[in-house]
């Protein structure tokens, strides 16, 4: 193991790492934050096989129930607890702005103290403390796997930022023009959006000054016109038969496109034919990723036509079907539920089991079980699901009850949920205080808070374990894609002629690959899914089938 610290930059980091990576076996690099070190290595043409991210590992070990009794978890907050992720690269240049600032360090620079005190943190001491916490954990094997998977995810995220997602700015502009009209001058609405605004005013008999983007003004105008709505949500608007509903719903849809992925987004986030998402690994408490700017995890179908493979290359898009229910079946050891997922569509298998009558009820019921649906169709079918799949339903019910008691729950590999916090505790205490006039209200508030936190912990154990499966899938796919080697048109950089992960969305990946390797990529992604299931759940009889499509543009994958 090689622990990197800032003095290594004076030694010529790229050469140091390149030489060690050529050894067999390759070392595992340990650093404080993958984004602080790896982007510069990738720019220098160096790929790292394995790493240990101290920042990510620290956060897991501090909260995991498996280390709760260790000095590491019980210690007072220290400098590593306040470490925030470094950016994956320089911020995007805004239209009309000067050059983007460069990263804090370049290869060969001598490190200056970071303003956030980052360099005061001793990586050797932190690594030793983490190893001691792992040795004292109640199940160190699971935690070691989780830390390795989380660190591998950080490598993947940095590589996807480095390579970027192929993006045709001209196609994106054509999509916007088709949906909104030609690009307007700054500060003006596109013509088609303005036409919808005029229809809204006409339907409400409102003055030209009414701004549909102002929710208070729009609600007031609708109530004045006799449209009795309390909000502008789609489901409430659709309940009303009024001429304003159709243009307003269309306006809201197009306004979202303009705001989230319009011309300003294109100018800001797409450079040199690439969209470079900045992922935050473990950015959600369940372990799911989030993103900083650019809306990487919310790319609408409207703009996916702009994701087009380079000439001589293609996109292989793979997603796993019903990931969370399959994870629940594996975690709980529910053989009946595992059997329902064999052969493809788990919801169809649930219908075949006799638990429910239709696929829609199977889907609604399982989502209700995992997310705490207590009304409507999900509540109606839950008793039947509990009879058919008792172990699976018991697992999420037990997690909900633990959350209602204010306890920590855990994912399969040991990521711990946060405690409910002081407001929750205050509400619980208030329910039992001597309040003759308000005790009923206090008890009702306590029940609402209790049930709400129970719904969170119910889903935490499933969503968090699904995120762990996805990390294992990414890590396996990353290794397998690299082993396929080089092919196709020439390019520059580490991945210039190699298939590589280009995009990730919870249970879906996009691989940009030389066309000649597309079939090999599809095979390796499927094998990586099998490997991820085996690594997490051993010989549990749960399948993780993929839908795989080889396409020229992302929009054609579904």
């Amino acid at each position: 193991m090689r622990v990197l610290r800032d003095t290594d930059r004076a030694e010529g980091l790229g050469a140091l790492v390149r030489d060690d990576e050529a050894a067999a076996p390759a070392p595992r690099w340990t650093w404080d934050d993958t984004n602080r070190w790896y982007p510069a290595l990738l720019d220098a043409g160096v790929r790292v096989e394995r790493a240990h991210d101290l920042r990510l590992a620290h956060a897991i070990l501090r909260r995991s129930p498996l280390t709760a009794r260790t000095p590491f978890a019980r210690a007072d907050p220290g400098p590593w607890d306040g470490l925030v992720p470094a950016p994956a690269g320089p911020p995007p240049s805004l239209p009309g702005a000067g050059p983007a600032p460069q990263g804090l360090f370049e290869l060969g620079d001598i490190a200056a103290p970071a303003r956030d005190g980052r360099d005061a943190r001793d990586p050797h001491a932190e690594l030793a403390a983490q190893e001691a916490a792992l040795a004292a954990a109640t199940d160190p094997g699971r935690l070691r796997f989780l830390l390795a998977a989380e660190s591998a995810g950080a490598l993947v995220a940095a590589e996807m930022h480095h390579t970027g997602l192929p993006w045709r700015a001209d196609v994106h502009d054509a999509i916007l023009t088709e949906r909104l009209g030609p690009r307007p001058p700054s500060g003006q609405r596109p013509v088609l959006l303005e036409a919808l605004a005029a229809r809204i005013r006409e339907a409400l008999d409102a003055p030209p000054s009414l701004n549909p983007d102002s929710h208070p003004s729009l609600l007031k105008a609708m109530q004045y016109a006799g449209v009795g709505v309390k909000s502008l949500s789609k489901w409430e608007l659709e309940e009303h038969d009024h001429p304003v509903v159709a243009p307003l719903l269309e306006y809201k849809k197009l306004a979202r496109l303009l705001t989230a992925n319009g011309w300003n987004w294109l100018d800001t986030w797409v450079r040199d034919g690439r969209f470079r998402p900045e992922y935050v690994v473990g950015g959600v408490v369940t372990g799911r990723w989030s993103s900083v700017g650019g809306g990487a995890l919310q790319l609408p179908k409207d703009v996916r036509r702009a994701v087009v493979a380079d000439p001589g290359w293609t996109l292989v898009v793979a997603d796993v079907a019903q990931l969370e229910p399959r994870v629940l079946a594996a975690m709980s050891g529910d053989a009946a539920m595992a059997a329902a997922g064999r052969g493809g569509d788990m919801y169809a298998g649930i219908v075949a089991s006799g638990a429910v009558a239709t696929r829609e009820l199977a889907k609604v019921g399982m989502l209700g079980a995992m997310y705490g649906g207590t009304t409507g169709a999900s509540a109606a079918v839950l008793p039947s699901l509990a009879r058919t799949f008792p172990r699976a339903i018991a697992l999420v019910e037990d997690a909900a009850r633990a959350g209602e008691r204010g306890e920590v729950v855990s994912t399969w590999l040991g990521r711990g949920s946060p405690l409910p916090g002081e407001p929750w505790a205050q509400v619980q205490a208030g329910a039992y205080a001597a309040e003759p006039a308000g005790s009923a209200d206090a008890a009702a508030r306590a029940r609402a808070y209790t049930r709400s936190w129970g719904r969170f912990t119910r889903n935490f154990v499933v969503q968090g374990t699904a995120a762990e499966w996805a990390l294992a899938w990414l890590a396996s796919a990353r290794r397998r894609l690299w082993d396929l080697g080089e092919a196709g048109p020439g390019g520059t950089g580490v991945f210039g002629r190699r298939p590589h992960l280009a995009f990730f969305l919870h249970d879906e990946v996009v691989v940009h690959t030389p066309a000649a390797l597309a079939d090999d990529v599809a095979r390796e992604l499927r094998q990586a899914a099998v490997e991820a299931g085996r690594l997490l759940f051993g010989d549990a009889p749960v399948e993780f089938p993929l839908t795989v499509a080889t396409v020229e543009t992302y929009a054609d994958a579904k």
Side-chain angles (χ1 to χ4, degrees):
M1 181 184 296
R2 178 75 156 87
V3 180
L4 289 180
R5 55 195 314 161
D6 285 321
T7 52
D8 290 313
R9 296 179 186 272
E11 302 170 11
L13 181 60
L16 183 154
V17 175
R18 183 183 290 108
D19 290 346
D20 281 6
E21 281 290 320
R28 182 180 66 166
W29 301 92
T30 297
W31 44 44
D32 60 348
D33 185 341
T34 298
N35 279 356
R36 191 166 178 246
W37 296 85
Y38 198 30
L41 292 171
L42 290 168
D43 289 343
V46 179
R47 175 187 178 272
V48 164
E49 180 67 26
R50 297 187 303 156
H52 178 78
D53 189 305
L54 291 168
R55 179 186 66 82
L56 292 172
H58 183 93
I60 291 171
L61 294 173
R62 287 282 278 173
R63 184 176 288 169
S64 174
L66 303 181
T67 55
R69 298 182 181 276
T70 66
F72 188 93
R74 299 166 73 90
D76 292 334
W80 285 89
D81 292 292
L83 187 59
V84 297
S93 299
L94 297 176
Q102 296 300 304
L104 177 62
F105 299 106
E106 300 297 330
L107 288 180
D109 285 349
I110 298 176
R115 285 177 292 180
D116 65 354
R118 189 186 298 259
D119 294 284
R121 301 173 178 90
D122 183 351
H124 289 278
E126 174 63 18
L127 178 61
Q130 291 186 13
E131 288 292 341
L134 282 166
T138 54
D139 193 338
R142 292 192 187 214
L143 273 178
R144 288 187 186 278
F145 183 16
L146 176 56
L147 300 190
E150 189 94 332
S151 295
L155 295 177
V156 171
E159 290 169 1
M160 288 193 293
H161 180 85
H162 174 78
T163 62
L165 183 65
W167 202 280
R168 288 275 300 275
D170 59 330
V171 174
H172 191 151
D173 178 74
I175 293 167
L176 296 175
T177 301
E178 172 190 329
R179 299 298 310 279
L180 302 168
R183 182 171 186 167
S186 178
Q188 296 184 22
R189 289 190 186 93
V191 292
L192 297 182
L193 207 56
E194 185 58 54
L196 287 168
R199 288 178 57 194
I200 291 168
R201 297 186 192 103
E202 180 182 1
L204 296 175
D205 195 21
S209 60
L210 176 65
N211 178 9
D213 298 316
S214 170
H215 283 203
S217 298
L218 185 57
L219 270 175
K220 185 176 180 180
M222 293 179 73
Q223 291 164 359
Y224 181 80
V227 187
V229 294
K230 296 181 179 180
S231 74
L232 298 177
S233 65
K234 180 180 178 182
W235 68 265
E236 187 171 357
L237 289 172
E238 288 177 338
E239 290 180 350
H240 293 267
D241 183 15
H242 190 279
V244 76
V245 171
L248 179 54
L249 289 175
E250 183 66 10
Y251 183 93
K252 286 164 58 71
K253 180 180 179 180
L254 295 183
R256 281 195 298 271
L257 172 63
L258 178 64
T259 301
N261 298 101
W263 287 282
N264 285 339
W265 183 95
L266 181 59
D267 292 341
T268 302
W269 291 100
V270 177
R271 285 288 183 276
D272 302 321
R274 291 293 188 271
F275 167 44
R276 301 183 189 278
E278 185 167 324
Y279 296 102
V280 181
V281 177
V284 180
V285 292
T286 59
R288 272 192 168 193
W289 293 12
S290 60
S291 66
V292 178
L297 301 180
Q298 295 178 338
L299 282 185
K301 294 195 70 173
D302 277 334
V303 300
R304 291 186 182 187
R305 280 187 283 150
V307 181
V308 181
D310 291 343
W313 291 61
T314 194
L315 304 174
V316 179
V317 182
D319 69 280
V320 59
Q322 301 110 22
L323 175 57
E324 290 188 359
R326 294 175 190 279
V327 160
L328 175 56
M331 293 174 68
S332 63
D334 195 309
M337 192 168 173
R342 291 193 195 111
D345 187 346
M346 173 172 272
Y347 297 137
I350 291 173
V351 174
S353 74
V356 296
T358 67
R359 186 185 185 280
E360 183 61 26
L361 283 176
K363 181 176 181 179
V364 169
M366 285 309 306
L367 292 178
M370 294 184 296
Y371 285 86
T374 57
T375 60
S378 61
V381 301
L382 188 56
S384 178
L385 291 175
R387 287 191 297 271
T388 309
F389 311 118
R391 298 186 66 171
I393 302 304
L395 186 147
V396 290
E397 290 292 337
D398 289 347
R401 300 294 86 77
E404 291 172 0
R405 294 190 297 269
E407 299 171 2
V408 170
V409 297
S410 171
T411 62
W412 183 251
L413 294 180
R415 192 188 301 268
S417 67
L419 289 168
E422 186 60 28
W424 184 90
Q426 291 175 355
V427 169
Q428 302 304 311
Y432 302 101
E435 300 180 26
S439 58
D441 289 343
R445 286 196 302 273
R447 284 195 298 272
Y449 267 73
T450 295
R451 290 170 181 167
S452 175
W453 199 255
R455 286 193 295 271
F456 166 71
T457 53
R458 172 193 296 272
N459 184 244
F460 181 94
V461 296
V462 181
Q463 186 184 109
T465 304
E468 291 166 355
W469 182 93
L471 283 172
W473 184 35
L474 286 174
S476 178
R478 174 181 183 261
R479 184 190 75 246
R480 291 167 178 275
L481 293 175
W482 182 260
D483 289 345
L484 289 177
E486 297 183 341
T492 60
V494 180
F495 302 99
R497 298 186 63 223
R498 289 179 179 269
H500 53 270
L501 292 160
F503 189 65
F504 170 58
L505 184 63
H506 303 317
D507 57 4
E508 178 175 295
V509 297
V510 178
V511 175
H512 193 216
T513 179
L517 292 178
D519 290 343
D520 297 319
V521 167
R523 181 192 68 244
E524 295 301 332
L525 290 176
R526 288 191 172 96
Q527 292 181 357
V530 173
E531 183 178 20
R534 185 176 65 251
L535 287 172
L536 259 74
F537 305 117
D539 59 359
V542 178
E543 297 176 353
F544 294 91
L546 300 185
T547 299
V548 182
T550 299
V551 294
E552 294 304 308
T553 176
Y554 189 14
D556 291 340
K558 290 184 179 179

